[in-house]
Amino acid sequence: MASHAATHHAAMRIDHTSILTAVLGAHRRFGQIDHAFVGAAGSIVRLTSVMQETDQLRHFVERDEFLERTWLAANQHLHVAVRPHQFQDACQAVGAALHPPGATPQVGLFTVQATLADGTLHTVQFVLAKVETGSSGEWHRNMCSIRIGGSPWMLPTDLAVFAAFMRLTPLFQCSPARISRGFTRRDPPPVPGELIWFHAEWQIQYGLEEIGLPHRGFLSAAAWERDISHLMSAQDYAMRARHLHALLVASEEPPEANEEPVNLLVEHAARMDMMEMGHNPDSHDERDRDLLADLMLGLEHVIEAFTRRFTLPYPSPHHAVARS
């Protein structure tokens, strides 16, 4: 089915540079509107920023794999958030149509043309929504520097730590009763949302840590400690850490004779990743089997990276990073 989808949507394949082109086009339209790119759009900006600013990643395998990837882009939506009092002005600035018309709450829908690698134009749809601020009214987000023709552009994006938590939601929603039963290949564990972007951001962070440059990533331990208290209480943090640990333990499949143990979350996520890239995870083609193996290795690193974060203690209010 996945190979059929790849053929059916052959004209709808899009790479990260084309999506970045669309994001930059939207950014120009907003002008003075206080906005932030969230979800996949935020990841594209953050990853591009890291890749441009880190010479040591120039030949790093995960960087090259990400740059060379092309995804099926059918129904590709990119999200932008603005402050509630600027929502109407933002809709006018980008020519967004309210949806659903006449109803509240509403979102704005608008499109931007992006040029694909073969020179054809592709319409990328954006969803414009009001940002949800905390009780303090603060809006915590990153500002990422991207070089274009030698000139830096500052693009506001959602916090990488916040995005990571949002993408882990399917795992957090898996009930304790379901986890206690364990998982099988026929009944695998859930995978994170926006899997390609979850995978790419954590894999790059893992790679930066491996080459001694953890601070260059947006999911560094320092970013985690700084941002975690904005997202949840100490009690919620401890509960989620225990939940994830239990889910990962339940995902470990006992090894068969002369074989390595398999983490079913890793395997299921790698297969889903392949499908989102337009490949068939059940293919017997050697290149597809190699791709699946590479994705599984990368996802093992991803799980190692984010589980390390959950072993960090919740920051004390007296912690210097927590106060910043």
Side-chain angles (χ1 to χ4, degrees):
M1 290 298 292
S3 59
H4 173 73
T7 301
H8 182 67
H9 294 291
M12 299 293 287
R13 297 180 69 86
I14 189 168
D15 59 25
H16 99 281
T17 55
S18 297
I19 299 178
L20 178 62
T21 299
V23 170
L24 293 172
H27 180 59
R28 292 187 188 97
R29 290 196 206 175
F30 279 111
Q32 299 303 312
I33 303 293
D34 193 14
H35 64 285
F37 293 98
V38 300
S43 290
I44 287 289
V45 176
R46 284 190 293 268
L47 289 165
T48 301
S49 177
V50 169
M51 292 168 184
Q52 287 187 339
E53 296 175 10
T54 310
D55 291 339
Q56 290 89 335
L57 278 182
R58 184 168 296 160
H59 304 296
F60 189 59
V61 62
E62 283 82 0
R63 174 190 188 275
D64 295 337
E65 286 177 355
F66 178 76
L67 289 172
E68 292 169 2
R69 278 190 182 186
T70 303
W71 303 278
L72 296 179
N75 302 316
Q76 177 73 63
H77 290 184
L78 301 175
H79 292 254
V80 191
V82 297
R83 292 180 179 275
H85 72 276
Q86 289 189 307
F87 180 68
Q88 294 296 333
D89 291 340
C91 285
Q92 292 180 3
V94 297
L98 294 180
H99 181 81
T104 54
Q106 297 169 313
V107 297
L109 302 180
F110 67 98
T111 60
V112 176
Q113 294 289 327
T115 303
L116 303 185
D118 62 2
T120 60
L121 289 178
H122 176 64
T123 299
V124 179
Q125 185 172 62
F126 285 81
V127 177
L128 176 64
K130 302 169 188 177
V131 70
E132 294 183 8
T133 56
S135 56
S136 66
E138 293 181 278
W139 185 7
H140 303 283
R141 63 193 188 282
N142 295 321
M143 295 293 293
C144 301
S145 177
I146 297 179
R147 293 195 310 273
I148 304 169
S151 301
W153 282 53
M154 298 300 296
L155 270 66
T157 73
D158 58 333
L159 289 174
V161 174
F162 175 78
F165 266 94
M166 292 298 291
R167 290 164 178 164
L168 282 169
T169 297
L171 277 64
F172 293 140
Q173 290 179 336
C174 188
S175 71
R178 175 68 197 86
I179 293 173
S180 68
R181 294 198 303 270
F183 302 102
T184 66
R185 282 187 168 89
R186 288 182 175 273
D187 186 17
V191 300
E194 295 184 331
L195 182 59
I196 284 179
W197 315 106
F198 181 87
H199 186 175
E201 291 214 61
W202 277 110
Q203 199 172 29
I204 287 292
Q205 182 63 50
Y206 177 89
L208 288 167
E209 293 174 4
E210 288 294 291
I211 60 176
L213 295 171
H215 58 285
R216 294 290 183 91
F218 292 97
L219 288 167
S220 67
W224 188 271
E225 291 181 336
R226 182 186 64 242
D227 299 337
I228 204 71
S229 59
H230 295 309
L231 305 178
M232 68 189 68
S233 68
Q235 293 77 14
D236 286 340
Y237 183 66
M239 179 183 68
R240 291 177 190 239
R242 290 193 298 269
H243 183 98
L244 279 178
H245 176 74
L247 188 145
L248 291 173
V249 169
S251 298
E252 292 289 346
E253 186 176 68
E256 297 181 5
N258 302 319
E259 291 188 6
E260 295 292 324
V262 174
N263 184 292
L264 294 174
L265 174 59
V266 166
E267 182 179 70
H268 187 46
R271 292 173 64 83
M272 295 289 288
D273 214 344
M274 275 192 75
M275 292 177 66
E276 290 186 18
M277 294 164 63
H279 294 269
N280 181 3
D282 295 318
S283 168
H284 295 293
D285 183 275
E286 184 177 354
R287 290 170 298 181
D288 285 332
R289 304 315 299 165
D290 288 345
L291 174 60
L292 182 61
D294 289 343
L295 289 172
M296 287 182 65
L297 178 60
L299 282 157
E300 286 177 1
H301 293 160
V302 166
I303 289 178
E304 179 182 337
F306 79 74
T307 51
R308 279 205 302 264
R309 292 294 176 270
F310 276 96
T311 64
L312 295 174
Y314 189 84
S316 161
H318 306 292
H319 194 289
V321 173
R323 292 197 306 269
S324 64

